[in-house]
Amino acid sequence: MANTFERVRFVLVETSHPGNVGAAARAMKTMGFSDLVLVNPRDADVLTHAEAIALASGATDVLAAARIVHSLDEALAGGNFSVALSARPREFSPPLFEPRQLAEHLAIDTALKAALVFGSERYGLANEQGSKCSALGSVPANPVYASLNLAQAVQVIAYECRVAALGEVRSED
């Protein structure tokens, strides 16, 4: 099976700021990931928007290869494990992962083809969107103010996935 970098897709749902899409692409590329899918971005031309390109800062190949789809179901197609990333507690109760635990799970279970799903900048993921996922992930943050910028959240998760993936490779040497 493919390595973690080839098996993990980053899905951004209903983004509103082109700069965040570009910064997320940069975060992904910096950590070795390239599969980016956008679900109903507010700006239909987000992937070629000047702000997205500027904040991608050299990760324009990730933007150029990104796909735009109309539904979360389309974004999840072809995968067998999906994680709704959110700072908000949910009413449904799938397995809950913190970033390191999630990354280790993805590195160890090579049969997983995963989608990491991030919500819009203003509202995060709706309960209906989160309920389409196999698990819930959350970055432990200050409970008084747990709001991360979208690209920062992508960076945290991508970093943990990289560390776990490289740790697995190093242990095989």
Side-chain angles (χ1 to χ4, degrees):
M1 185 54 118
N3 68 38
T4 302
F5 301 103
E6 297 165 340
R7 293 184 292 105
V8 174
R9 169 186 319 163
F10 287 76
V11 177
L12 309 182
V13 179
E14 299 174 359
T15 56
S16 56
H17 301 293
N20 280 332
V21 174
R26 179 182 184 178
M28 289 171 56
K29 183 170 182 166
T30 298
M31 295 298 125
F33 295 93
S34 60
D35 192 355
L36 175 62
V37 179
L38 306 179
V39 178
N40 286 330
R42 184 168 71 177
D43 184 338
D45 297 322
V46 66
L47 299 173
T48 57
H49 192 283
E51 188 179 355
I53 291 169
L55 288 175
S57 188
T60 53
D61 56 329
V62 174
L63 290 179
R67 295 180 295 124
I68 294 178
V69 298
H70 298 291
S71 71
L72 183 54
D73 290 331
E74 288 177 79
L76 298 178
N80 59 8
F81 183 71
S82 54
V83 182
L85 280 300
S86 178
R88 286 185 284 153
R90 301 293 168 159
E91 292 178 16
F92 69 97
S93 57
L96 176 63
F97 291 95
E98 287 191 3
R100 186 157 301 156
Q101 179 187 29
L102 171 61
E104 290 170 354
H105 183 67
L106 294 174
I108 290 166
D109 191 342
T110 60
L112 293 178
K113 183 144 177 64
L116 305 178
V117 183
F118 298 81
S120 73
E121 295 93 327
R122 290 191 70 189
Y123 305 108
L125 288 171
N127 284 336
E128 178 186 333
Q129 294 164 329
S131 68
K132 293 179 182 278
C133 295
S134 319
L136 179 64
S138 185
V139 175
N142 177 356
V144 177
Y145 187 74
S147 177
L148 281 175
N149 170 274
L150 174 60
Q152 292 169 335
V154 168
Q155 182 71 67
V156 169
I157 301 301
Y159 168 78
E160 289 293 348
C161 287
R162 178 175 184 78
V163 169
L166 294 179
E168 179 181 78
V169 169
R170 287 184 190 131
S171 68
E172 291 175 0
D173 292 339

